[in-house]
Amino acid sequence: MIDYAGIRMTEGQLIACERKEGVNDNMTKSHFHDFYEIYFLEEGGRNIIIESDIFSIEPGMFALKAPYVMHHSYGDLNVPFKRVVLYFRPNALTSKELRIAMENSTGTYRPDPSLQRTMKEVLHQLLEEENENPAFKQESMQSLLNAMLVSFLRKANNKEKSSNKHLIGEVMDYIHENYAENISLEGLAKKFYVSHYYLCREFKRLTNRTIVQYISVTRISNAQRKIMETDLSITEISNLAGFSNVTHFNRVFKKYAGISPSQYRKDYREIAKQKL
C-alpha cells in the first residue's frame, strides 16, 4: 500500500491525510517519522505495535504516535479494514500549551460517542480539503486539526492499556534496551526460561515478524536517529547500533531503509535545509 499522505509530508506539507482500505495488507517493518500520526480505524480490526507494546483496535478507536516513536500495524489473516491516517508536524499546533500536552499522548484510545462523532466529522472535512485542494488548504486543515485536538485532549483519559504485558512484551523491551549488544535467539530463550521454538512461534504470532527481523529493525531505526541527530561517522554509528562491521551495517541498512546510510544522511540534510 503506497502511503501518499506520507509522500506529501516529505514534499513539505504541514498536514496530510488519506483514507485507505485493504485486506492482508501488513507493514513489513517498524518505522518512525518526524511528525505525528493519528490512525483512525473505520472498519475491521488491526493490531498496532508502538515501541514494545501491542494493541488491538476496533472500529471507532484510534492510535496516536508522536514523532520518532517506532510503530507498525498489521491485521489478522483475511480480515478487511478501512482507516484514515492523519499526519501533522509539531509546528502545526498553534500554541505552546497544545504542543506540550501532545508530547506524551502516544497510545491507543477508545473515544466516547461524542468525541468519536467529532473526530469522524473533522476527519471527513480534512479529507475533503486534501482531495479537493482548495485555496488556503493547509490553513483550513490546520484550524480543523487544532480544534479536533483540543476536543481530544479534554477527554484524553481513555488511553487503552497494552494487551501484551507478558513474555513477548518483556522480550521486546529487552531488545529495545540492549540492541547494541550481541543478542541471540538462544540467549533470549535462556534468559526468559522458554524454549527456542516457543519463543519464536509466540513472537511471530504476536508481532507478525521474526525476532531476527525485529532486532535488525530496532538497530536500523536507532541508527537512523543517530544519522539525523548527530555528526558521528557512519562507522561510529554502525558500532553504536550493534553491528560488528560497517559493511554488514550498510547492507542491512539498505535492506530496511532502501538507501545507504550516507545517502540517508545526505537526503535528510537536504530536506532540513528546505524547511529553514
Side-chain angles (χ1 to χ4, degrees), residues 7 33 47 70 136 160:
I7 292 172
H33 29 66
N47 301 304
M70 290 256 298
F136 306 108
E160 293 284 291

Side-chain angles (χ1 to χ4, degrees), residues 86-257:
L86 171 64
Y87 298 137
F88 55 96
R89 299 194 180 281
N91 59 338
L93 307 180
T94 54
S95 74
K96 178 181 178 182
E97 290 75 14
L98 199 55
R99 288 191 289 272
I100 292 172
M102 286 294 294
E103 287 177 356
N104 297 313
S105 59
T106 292
T108 60
Y109 296 83
R110 188 185 300 272
D112 64 24
S114 174
L115 178 58
Q116 188 179 126
R117 283 193 301 271
T118 296
M119 293 189 70
K120 286 182 176 180
E121 291 170 2
V122 174
L123 288 170
H124 177 72
Q125 292 175 285
L126 286 164
L127 285 166
E128 284 189 336
E129 291 287 324
E130 186 75 88
N131 295 331
E132 295 176 9
N133 201 31
F136 306 108
K137 164 184 157 181
Q138 288 286 284
E139 289 81 0
S140 175
M141 293 179 76
Q142 187 173 12
S143 296
L144 290 165
L145 168 70
N146 279 269
M148 184 181 76
L149 292 179
V150 167
S151 297
F152 156 67
L153 288 168
R154 286 173 174 171
K155 298 183 177 182
N157 59 351
N158 54 352
K159 186 183 292 190
E160 293 284 291
K161 293 182 179 180
S162 169
S163 61
N164 77 306
K165 280 307 176 187
H166 53 22
L167 171 66
I168 301 307
E170 292 178 9
V171 173
M172 294 168 74
D173 282 337
Y174 181 83
I175 292 171
H176 279 280
E177 294 170 4
N178 299 278
Y179 66 87
E181 307 300 325
N182 181 25
I183 303 175
S184 68
L185 297 180
E186 292 75 16
L188 287 172
K190 183 177 180 180
K191 178 175 179 61
F192 291 96
Y193 304 102
V194 293
S195 72
H196 175 281
Y197 170 77
Y198 176 83
L199 180 59
C200 290
R201 185 192 68 192
E202 287 299 289
F203 198 95
K204 176 71 172 179
R205 183 179 69 84
L206 287 170
T207 69
N208 200 42
R209 70 192 54 217
T210 68
I211 293 176
V212 172
Q213 289 172 332
Y214 193 81
I215 293 170
S216 294
V217 167
T218 301
R219 286 172 170 167
I220 295 304
S221 295
N222 280 279
Q224 287 175 308
R225 295 184 189 182
K226 289 181 173 64
I227 288 173
M228 291 187 294
E229 297 172 357
T230 74
D231 292 321
L232 295 171
S233 71
I234 298 302
T235 299
E236 289 173 313
I237 291 172
S238 168
N239 292 332
L240 290 172
F243 290 88
S244 57
N245 65 78
V246 72
T247 301
H248 180 54
F249 171 64
N250 286 334
R251 184 167 60 250
V252 177
F253 191 100
K254 190 169 185 179
K255 175 183 177 180
Y256 286 99

Side-chain angles (χ1 to χ4, degrees), residues 3-63:
D3 183 8
Y4 291 106
I7 292 172
R8 289 193 288 271
M9 293 297 286
T10 63
E11 292 174 345
Q13 280 198 193
L14 191 65
I15 306 165
C17 63
E18 182 178 23
R19 173 182 279 123
K20 286 286 187 181
E21 54 186 300
V23 60
N24 297 329
D25 194 347
N26 299 321
M27 292 183 178
T28 58
K29 64 184 190 309
S30 294
H31 66 286
F32 67 89
H33 29 66
D34 62 350
F35 43 81
Y36 282 93
E37 174 184 337
I38 290 178
Y39 185 113
F40 188 92
L41 188 66
E42 296 182 306
E43 297 177 8
R46 295 295 276 176
N47 301 304
I48 308 285
I49 295 183
I50 302 176
E51 297 290 4
S52 60
D53 290 322
I54 304 173
F55 304 90
S56 295
I57 63 172
E58 304 166 356
M61 295 176 64
F62 66 95

